Amino acid sequence: MARICVFCGSRSGNLPEFADAAELLGTCLAESGHTLVYGGGSTGIMGIIANAVLRHGGNVIGVIPKHLARPELMHDGVADMRITLDMHERKALMHSLADAYIALPGGYGTLEELFEAVTWAQLEIHQCQVAVLNICGLYNGLVTMLDQMTEHGFLSQDCRRHLEIFSNTADMLQWTAALGPTQN
Ligand code: AMP
């Protein structure tokens, strides 16, 4: 089974659909035997997906930099919590663990991590698939921007295809079900 690195918000957003999607994805990851690799937080969409995986008996690896490893931020129910020196070491460790990447709803942190993963796919640093779950159109503006970059020649059609965009959780679950076993 695969280790799936999920980037997502430290906040929950203001629509119940965001939390519902994280809950459903976490449940399905646990039921299909995949391991969740995530940022180690207890808040927002991060906390929701980690709790869903744990509640359904799944495996979770948290990777958190020491400056965020505070009781009010770090999930205290994740047994396999890796504490790193800084954000760079955190992302390097997440990348070394991941077989595939998913971005759920989130903010700056989520986008930054997503675009590093997809840039590294473009540069063939890894062969992992990268997908975004576009719940309630949160990422519509981003999709439009990527289409414009493709239209104006900054992204090749091939590079554009490195980022899969799903607008419903059921389609993403079909994609996760097809992911291969751990490569690392
Ligand atoms: P954002 O999308 O801006 O909410 O940021 C989410 C990302 O920022 C996570 O994937 C983490 O890398 C990091 N982050 C922000 N807050 C926390 C927190 N409380 N605990 C762990 N990671 C956090």
Side-chain angles (χ1 to χ4, degrees):
M1 288 297 112
R3 284 191 288 230
I4 302 185
C5 184
V6 176
F7 303 129
C8 56
S10 52
R11 298 168 179 230
S12 307
N14 63 359
L15 296 175
E17 286 87 343
F18 300 135
D20 292 348
E23 179 75 35
L24 183 57
L25 180 65
T27 303
C28 292
L29 291 185
E31 287 175 349
S32 40
H34 293 315
T35 294
L36 170 70
V37 176
Y38 89 116
S42 57
T43 62
I45 301 292
M46 281 198 285
I48 292 165
I49 190 165
N51 286 335
V53 175
L54 292 171
R55 210 177 320 110
H56 290 87
N59 297 320
V60 178
I61 303 175
V63 185
I64 193 163
K66 72 174 186 226
H67 82 280
L68 292 176
R70 303 198 300 267
E72 70 275 21
L73 299 178
M74 187 171 70
H75 200 301
D76 62 3
V78 173
D80 191 352
M81 185 67 76
R82 321 262 177 111
I83 298 179
T84 63
L85 200 57
D86 55 25
M87 289 293 279
H88 294 297
E89 192 182 300
R90 175 203 229 181
K91 288 195 291 174
L93 180 56
M94 290 173 106
H95 287 300
S96 76
L97 291 169
D99 297 310
Y101 298 93
I102 291 175
L104 294 184
Y108 281 148
T110 302
L111 282 184
E112 187 261 343
E113 291 163 337
L114 168 69
F115 278 101
E116 182 175 88
V118 77
T119 302
W120 288 21
Q122 174 180 265
L123 297 175
E124 299 182 2
I125 294 170
H126 64 69
Q127 273 71 48
C128 302
Q129 297 186 58
V130 188
V132 172
L133 187 53
N134 183 21
I135 295 292
C136 295
L138 178 72
Y139 290 120
N140 283 354
L142 183 68
V143 174
T144 302
M145 192 175 78
L146 296 178
D147 289 343
Q148 282 175 345
M149 289 173 165
T150 309
E151 188 185 324
H152 290 289
F154 289 102
L155 284 179
S156 68
Q157 294 287 351
D158 272 358
C159 289
R160 175 70 181 80
R161 279 192 283 271
H162 281 306
L163 193 58
E164 297 260 10
I165 315 273
F166 296 106
S167 42
N168 67 71
T169 315
D171 289 345
M172 172 161 274
L173 291 175
Q174 277 194 338
W175 176 85
T176 56
L179 289 172
T182 297
Q183 307 291 321
N184 292 305

